[in-house]
Amino acid sequence: MLKVSRTAYYRYLRGDSYQLTSEKAEYQQLVEQTFAKHKRRYGSRRITAELQEKGHSVGRCQVRTLMKLVGLQAIQPKSFVPRTTDSTHGRGYWPNLLLNQPLPKAPNLVWVSDISAP
């Protein structure tokens, strides 16, 4: 109903609230810098790997949580789709010579090929 987790509700009743420690605040700053450095292309796994290479002991779940807190989400590149056919060329095409012919009566009587490359 309140869209708050049970743990957060009971922590609130106890008077506890989520505060970033100085170490986590530093990690959050590092995550933001790495994210900006790589032009919003790096997700939590790559950011974690880069921070661990630099000697910081930070886990992927922690990086993911820090990214969610700030609202960082990596851009997913569009998948590569090869464009092999150019349908807008000015050349003509060969007509279908089998269109008005009767069906072949035996195998290996009609051969068909396609060379679409310009």
Side-chain angles (χ1 to χ4, degrees):
M1 180 179 236
L2 296 175
K3 295 186 181 178
V4 177
S5 69
R6 185 180 298 164
T7 305
Y9 174 72
Y10 284 112
R11 281 186 182 170
Y12 173 76
L13 287 179
R14 283 195 317 249
D16 299 339
S17 65
Y18 181 75
Q19 297 293 327
L20 282 178
T21 62
S22 61
E23 182 182 10
K24 286 191 180 183
E26 179 186 341
Y27 285 150
Q28 183 172 355
Q29 193 173 27
L30 288 170
V31 166
E32 289 177 21
Q33 289 173 354
T34 307
F35 189 76
K37 174 183 162 189
H38 293 285
K39 300 175 185 169
R40 301 173 45 199
R41 299 281 194 245
Y42 272 24
S44 61
R45 294 170 201 254
R46 288 167 128 181
I47 291 175
T48 303
E50 185 163 323
L51 292 179
Q52 286 176 351
E53 282 179 11
K54 291 180 180 178
H56 301 284
S57 61
V58 62
R60 188 175 78 86
C61 290
Q62 186 176 9
V63 170
R64 186 176 61 196
T65 303
L66 293 172
M67 288 177 71
K68 273 188 182 180
L69 275 174
V70 186
L72 302 178
Q73 188 172 4
I75 297 173
Q76 296 296 320
K78 292 183 179 179
S79 60
F80 174 73
V81 178
R83 303 286 182 224
T84 57
T85 304
D86 179 19
S87 300
T88 60
H89 58 75
R91 296 180 227 122
Y93 60 92
W94 290 98
N96 186 353
L97 300 176
L98 298 174
L99 194 58
N100 297 325
Q101 299 293 325
L103 292 174
K105 302 290 182 197
N108 214 16
L109 291 179
V110 176
W111 286 42
V112 179
S113 69
D114 181 18
I115 303 175
S116 297

